[in-house]
């Protein structure tokens, strides 16, 4: 393993000495460009927004590929939140966090992962400035921005900078930048109300929005407005989708899968390596190693049984497909003219969101971890047993137990998150300079409350000790004899609190220096100081490993960063422009980094332009990775030891991953490249094609699970394969955060837009976005894994895989007072392998590769929407998502969706209708 854990201060001092003069003297305007454009009154120098459909678009394109998404493009999809919309973009990939992932570390949030490099490597901004991160780190490690805290109806447009890293916004934007631009001023009032429901008349969504403003900045010297939206979305149970084949049931045997060895990950009560798993009737081990069921399986389960000492049950009968949500979002902005050359502005945003998710009842066995090490409740001295005096134990000695606590009920999680953002600043001009100085405070406070989880110590007491203060826990058919006080004892309410606070002081300025052959030489400089504080108290009891099956996650730390940056845009001729930028980031008590960016654009004719960029990125370890705490979660892992001993045990299994922080981590670094062409052969046709590559080194992540398995740093059960030592079921893997990996990903982005003027028949607009991933190589030690076109990388959130192609095709027809749109969303097929060249990750009961020759089929949905402007003040709109009601393909590997891939979310929900109206006062 080529890992360095020690700083090199001499090299860093030299880098800083070179960087500061460059940053102060050379600088370029691209970051100030995107930020200044949010005010709608920026100078021509600072505007980078793509204009769209005529020849001037080519001349205003920057060297960097930027996808500009208008409000109309968002509305036509029928999406009700900005997060849901952004995850439908073709540039989103593995590591994004969907709102449906109710059993993930960051439950209740929505995050985007550009290029599949993780939500923590995608920088999300509001009006060109950062916001506080979500309180819960994804996978217990990745600090990211929760998109659901952004008010949908205040969004004016979205700009996605796709070239990776940013010398202006932040060197940690390794995968790129998503800049959500909100309204800057508004006069009048708009009320919008909508109601949505699925084709099964559930998942009902109600939403009301009021936007109102007054004052004209030019006439009155001020403008103030606010936008308030309130929404409520009903959850959908998995069992509510029994009419959608595998979506509504954990029992996928009818489609050729087995109940044994985890082949159906959502069918409980089967056998794993010959041993029974947790089931509602309960089973105990006899002295000779055989197992006896307590009986009464038919009382708890309606799925067909197979004998063989099993009690199969459907996990879908308890689990939610989508959570219950309630949200309120408020955004306001005021602008006040100080004098002819300066404006004072302020913004305030507030969001409160509650999310409730229900999951399966807890089992009494398993493996998990905490700072003191792993806990094994399945075998060995820590195993959950029926004591010799337990009334349901006839053996007269300790008897290992397998039991799923139906009598306790489903595990329930309630998240309540409050988000606040306040900004005040002054912008204007002084001499030849345009400037913007501001202070930002943003914070997020989250309370996570859970019920239905089991206390390890209390369960052992209630099952083993006849004098237990909580009483004796009777199981299965006798559970009705238990008093409520017993359940209060073994299943207490537990909670955790998370906080995130961000304070930023920044200043930036730009001016024209001189005239060159193609226009003005533009200079922009800026500086910022930010303080980021995050903390997470662990779930009650997890700090001692006392909550059965619940991973530990906690962190606490403060990060202080100061930065200076500069950029130059030099149009040397009418056809050639160069952009050069540099940024210096200094992390207090840690690293200093200089990150450059260079862009070139050549326009040999007004209808064609060639462009290229090179940029470097730098991300320091966050407090979750290098501070206090740690995490313990679960991932689907193929165990090569058991696979080698028995070919029927080669499927991926859920395994606890226990990871500890490392204070000696080095920062991640990246280099990114783009090369593209922009064509506009006619005033109504535009095409951009960009090739890109990002290479990230010294990646921070948990140690390679396969290396830990090879080294024996694991916990195994005692169900040996054919008696071979060391082949027991893999229960847990011990790792620590290390700088061990590197990733290289490259591909192509195509954006085509065409407009047709149809005379009296109106106007037709077509657009297509296609993202193709050519390679996604991850190197761990001496081994390189290729994930492009496969179901890997399953070590990141959801295990959604890496499809090579994602395509969105849209068509909008405007005629008179009507607008009708259709959007097709396509995901290409993927091999059901954890990496290229690996064995199939799933098999049918007969041992053949699954699904369908080890390939997850491609998936396409079409969304329709329409708008009728009935009067100047009143309009009606409607949409139908997944109009053909297509069912998502069965995905036996992904754990982010219940037998479906989270990329195919609309195929799990089914057809969804929304009807709304808007009135302008």
């Amino acid at each position: 393993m080529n890992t360095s854990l020690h700083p090199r201060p001499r090299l860093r001092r030299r880098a800083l000495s070179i960087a500061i003069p460059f940053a102060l003297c050379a600088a370029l305007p691209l970051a100030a460009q995107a930020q200044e454009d949010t005010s709608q009154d920026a100078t021509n120098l600072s505007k980078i927004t793509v204009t769209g459909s005529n020849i001037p678009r080519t001349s205003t394109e920057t060297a960097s590929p930027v996808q500009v998404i208008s409000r109309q493009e968002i509305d036509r999809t029928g999406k009700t939140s900005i997060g849901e919309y952004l995850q439908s973009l073709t540039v989103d990939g593995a590591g994004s966090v969907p709102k449906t992932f109710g059993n993930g570390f960051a439950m209740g949030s929505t995050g985007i992962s550009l290029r599949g490099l993780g939500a923590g490597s995608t920088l999300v901004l509001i009006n060109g400035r950062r916001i506080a991160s979500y309180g819960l780190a994804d996978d217990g490690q990745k600090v990211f921005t929760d998109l659901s805290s952004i008010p949908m109806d205040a969004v004016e447009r979205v700009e996605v900078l796709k070239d990776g890293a940013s010398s202006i916004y932040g060197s940690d934007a390794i995968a790129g930048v998503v800049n959500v631009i909100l309204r800057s001023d508004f006069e009048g009032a708009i009320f919008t109300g909508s109601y949505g429901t699925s084709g099964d008349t559930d998942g009902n969504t109600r939403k009301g929005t009021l936007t109102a403003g007054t004052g004209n900045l030019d006439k009155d010297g001020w403008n103030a407005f606010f936008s308030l939206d309130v929404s409520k979305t009903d959850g959908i149970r998995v069992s509510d989708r029994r009419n959608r084949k595998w979506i509504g049931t954990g029992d996928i045997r009818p489609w050729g899968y087995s109940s044994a060895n985890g082949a159906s990950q959502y069918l409980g009560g089967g056998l794993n390596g010959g041993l029974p798993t947790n089931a509602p009737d309960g089973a105990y081990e006899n002295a000779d190693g055989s197992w006896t069921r307590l009986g009464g399986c038919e009382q708890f389960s309606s799925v067909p049984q197979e004998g063989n000492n099993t009690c199969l049950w459907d996990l879908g009968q308890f689990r939610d497909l989508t959570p219950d949500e309630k949200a309120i979002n408020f955004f306001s902005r005021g602008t006040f003219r100080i004098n002819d050359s300066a404006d004072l502005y302020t913004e305030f945003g507030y969001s409160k969101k509650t999310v409730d998710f229900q999951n399966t009842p807890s089992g009494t066995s398993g493996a998990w971890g905490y700072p003191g090490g792993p806990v094994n409740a399945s075998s060995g001295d820590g195993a959950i047993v029926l004591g010799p005096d337990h009334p349901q134990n006839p053996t007269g000695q300790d008897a290992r137990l397998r039991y799923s606590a139906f009598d306790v009920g489903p595990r329930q999680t309630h998240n309540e998150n409050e988000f606040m953002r306040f900004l005040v600043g002054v912008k204007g001009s002084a001499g030849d300079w345009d400037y913007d100085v501001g202070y930002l405070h943003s914070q997020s406070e989250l309370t996570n409350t859970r019920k239905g989880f089991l206390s390890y110590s209390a369960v052992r007491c209630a099952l083993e000790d006849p004098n237990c203060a909580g009483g004796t826990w009777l199981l299965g058919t006798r559970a009705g004899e238990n008093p409520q006080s017993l359940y209060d004892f073994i299943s207490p309410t537990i909670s955790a609190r998370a906080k995130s606070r961000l304070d930023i002081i920044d200043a930036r300025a730009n001016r024209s220096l001189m005239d060159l052959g193609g226009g003005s030489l533009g200079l922009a400089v800026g500086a910022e100081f930010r303080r980021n504080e995050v903390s997470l108290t662990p779930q009650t009891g997890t700090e001692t490993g006392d909550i059965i099956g619940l991973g530990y996650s906690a962190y606490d730390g403060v990060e202080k960063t100061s930065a200076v940056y500069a950029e130059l845009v030099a149009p040397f001729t009418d056809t050639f422009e160069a952009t050069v930028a540099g940024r210096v980031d200094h992390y207090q008590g840690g690293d200093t980094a200089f990150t450059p960016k260079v862009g070139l654009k050549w326009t040999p004719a007004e209808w064609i332009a060639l462009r290229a960029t090179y940029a470097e990125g730098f991300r320091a370890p966050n407090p979750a990775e290098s501070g206090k705490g740690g995490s313990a979660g679960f991932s689907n892992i193929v165990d090569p030891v058991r696979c080698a001993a028995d070919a029927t045990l080669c499927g991926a299994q859920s395994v606890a991953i226990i990871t500890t922080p490392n204070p000696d981590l080095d920062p991640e670094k990246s280099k990114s490249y783009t090369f593209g062409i922009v064509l506009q052969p006619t005033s109504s046709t535009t095409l951009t094609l960009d090739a890109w590559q990002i290479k990230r080194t010294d990646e921070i992540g948990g140690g390679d699970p396969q290396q830990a398995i090879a080294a024996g740093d694991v916990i195994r059960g005692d169900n040996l394969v054919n008696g071979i030592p060391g082949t027991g079921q893999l229960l847990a893997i011990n790792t620590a955060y290390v700088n061990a990996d590197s990733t290289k990903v490259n591909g192509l982005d195509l954006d085509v837009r065409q407009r047709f003027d149809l005379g009296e028949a109106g106007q037709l607009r077509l657009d297509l976005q296609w993202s193709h991933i050519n390679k996604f190589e991850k190197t761990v030690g001496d081994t390189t894994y290729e994930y492009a076109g496969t179901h890997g990388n399953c070590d990141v959130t959801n295990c959604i895989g890496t499809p090579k192609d994602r395509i969105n095709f849209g068509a909008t027809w405007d005629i008179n007072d009507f607008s009708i749109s259709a959007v097709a969303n396509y995901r290409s097929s993927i091999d059901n392998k954890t990496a290229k060249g690996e064995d199939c990750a799933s098999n049918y009961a007969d041992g053949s590769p699954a699904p369908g020759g080890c390939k997850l089929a491609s998936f396409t949905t079409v969304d329709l929407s329409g708008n009728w402007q009935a009067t100047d003040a009143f309009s009606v709109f409607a949409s139908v998502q997944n109009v053909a009601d297509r069912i998502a393909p069965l995905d036996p590997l992904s754990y982010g969706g219940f037998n479906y891939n989270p990329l195919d979310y609309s195929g799990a929900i089914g057809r969804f209708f929304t009807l709304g109206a808007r009135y302008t006062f």
Side-chain angles (χ1 to χ4, degrees), residues 275 285 291 365-366 375-386 398-402 456 460 464 715-719 731:
L275 295 183
E285 185 181 30
W291 287 78
S365 59
V375 179
N376 180 3
S378 293
S379 59
D381 295 338
I384 295 290
V385 300
L386 290 177
D398 286 342
R400 278 197 300 168
L401 176 70
R402 296 290 185 267
Y456 180 50
R460 295 188 72 176
E464 301 175 23
I715 300 173
R716 291 187 178 276
D718 56 3
N719 52 334
L731 300 174

Side-chain angles (χ1 to χ4, degrees), residues 236-257:
I236 301 174
R237 294 281 179 87
V238 167
S239 57
D240 293 334
R241 289 296 178 270
R242 293 193 182 278
N243 60 332
R244 298 185 69 77
K245 300 182 179 179
W246 46 79
I247 303 298
T249 177
D251 186 4
I252 55 175
R253 288 175 296 170
W255 293 278
Y257 292 83

Side-chain angles (χ1 to χ4, degrees), residues 261 272-275 639-650 716-730:
N261 301 318
N272 198 321
L275 295 183
D639 183 358
V641 175
R642 287 170 70 80
C643 180
D646 185 341
T648 66
L649 302 178
C650 293
R716 291 187 178 276
D718 56 3
N719 52 334
L720 305 180
V721 180
N722 300 322
I724 302 173
T727 60
Q729 179 186 351
L730 188 62

Side-chain angles (χ1 to χ4, degrees), residues 299-537:
Q299 178 178 325
F300 306 103
S301 176
S302 59
V303 303
Q305 299 298 315
E306 296 180 350
N308 298 322
N309 208 22
T310 66
C311 179
L312 301 174
W313 61 281
D314 181 2
L315 276 65
Q317 70 190 84
F318 292 99
R319 181 161 162 165
D320 285 342
L321 190 65
T322 64
D324 279 306
E325 294 183 335
K326 296 178 182 178
I328 178 171
N329 279 295
F330 177 82
F331 172 76
S332 64
R333 179 180 171 99
T335 307
F336 309 91
R337 180 134 296 165
I338 301 173
N339 53 47
D340 291 341
S341 59
D343 291 340
L344 171 70
Y345 62 89
T346 182
E347 295 178 356
F348 177 76
Y350 173 81
S351 170
K352 184 175 182 179
K353 180 180 179 182
T354 61
V355 179
D356 291 279
F357 188 86
Q358 177 176 289
N359 209 341
T360 53
S362 177
T364 58
S365 59
W368 61 94
Y370 73 109
V375 179
N376 180 3
S378 293
S379 59
D381 295 338
I384 295 290
V385 300
L386 290 177
D389 297 318
H390 191 282
Q392 291 174 285
N393 180 5
T395 68
Q397 62 183 24
D398 286 342
R400 278 197 300 168
L401 176 70
R402 296 290 185 267
Y403 182 61
S404 184
F406 275 36
D407 53 321
V408 174
R411 289 171 290 175
Q412 299 173 342
T413 301
H414 173 82
N415 267 9
E416 186 171 301
N417 187 47
E418 287 190 89
F419 170 83
M420 188 272 282
R421 174 181 178 270
F422 171 74
L423 170 68
V424 62
V426 176
K427 66 183 304 179
S429 59
D432 294 329
W433 291 89
D434 293 329
Y435 65 86
D436 188 347
V437 179
Y439 165 71
L440 171 75
H441 173 77
S442 181
Q443 66 181 49
S444 174
E445 294 193 5
L446 180 143
T447 301
N448 176 276
T449 305
R450 305 192 186 212
K451 297 180 180 180
F453 289 77
L454 297 176
S455 164
Y456 180 50
S457 59
V459 166
R460 295 188 72 176
C461 176
L463 292 176
E464 301 175 23
D465 184 358
N467 300 313
C468 179
T472 297
W473 185 14
L474 300 177
L475 311 176
T477 57
R478 295 192 59 185
E481 303 173 38
N482 295 318
Q484 182 59 45
S485 59
L486 171 83
Y487 293 117
D488 295 339
F489 177 69
I490 64 174
S491 180
T493 298
I494 60 177
S495 63
R497 290 184 63 86
K499 296 181 180 180
S500 173
R501 283 177 167 78
L502 176 67
D503 290 277
I504 299 178
I505 299 174
D506 64 18
R508 52 184 183 263
N510 68 82
R511 62 165 294 175
S512 229
L513 293 178
M514 58 183 293
D515 290 333
L516 298 177
S520 297
L521 173 64
L523 168 69
V525 295
E528 71 175 38
F529 172 80
R530 66 178 185 268
R531 182 184 186 275
N532 186 28
E533 178 181 0
V534 295
S535 65
L536 171 64
T537 62

Side-chain angles (χ1 to χ4, degrees), residues 752-772:
V752 182
R753 297 175 186 269
Q754 175 68 54
R755 186 185 72 247
F756 297 97
D757 290 320
L758 306 177
E760 294 183 357
Q763 185 181 88
L764 177 65
R765 287 172 285 140
L766 306 177
D767 63 274
L768 179 145
Q769 296 82 42
W770 167 54
S771 292
H772 172 76

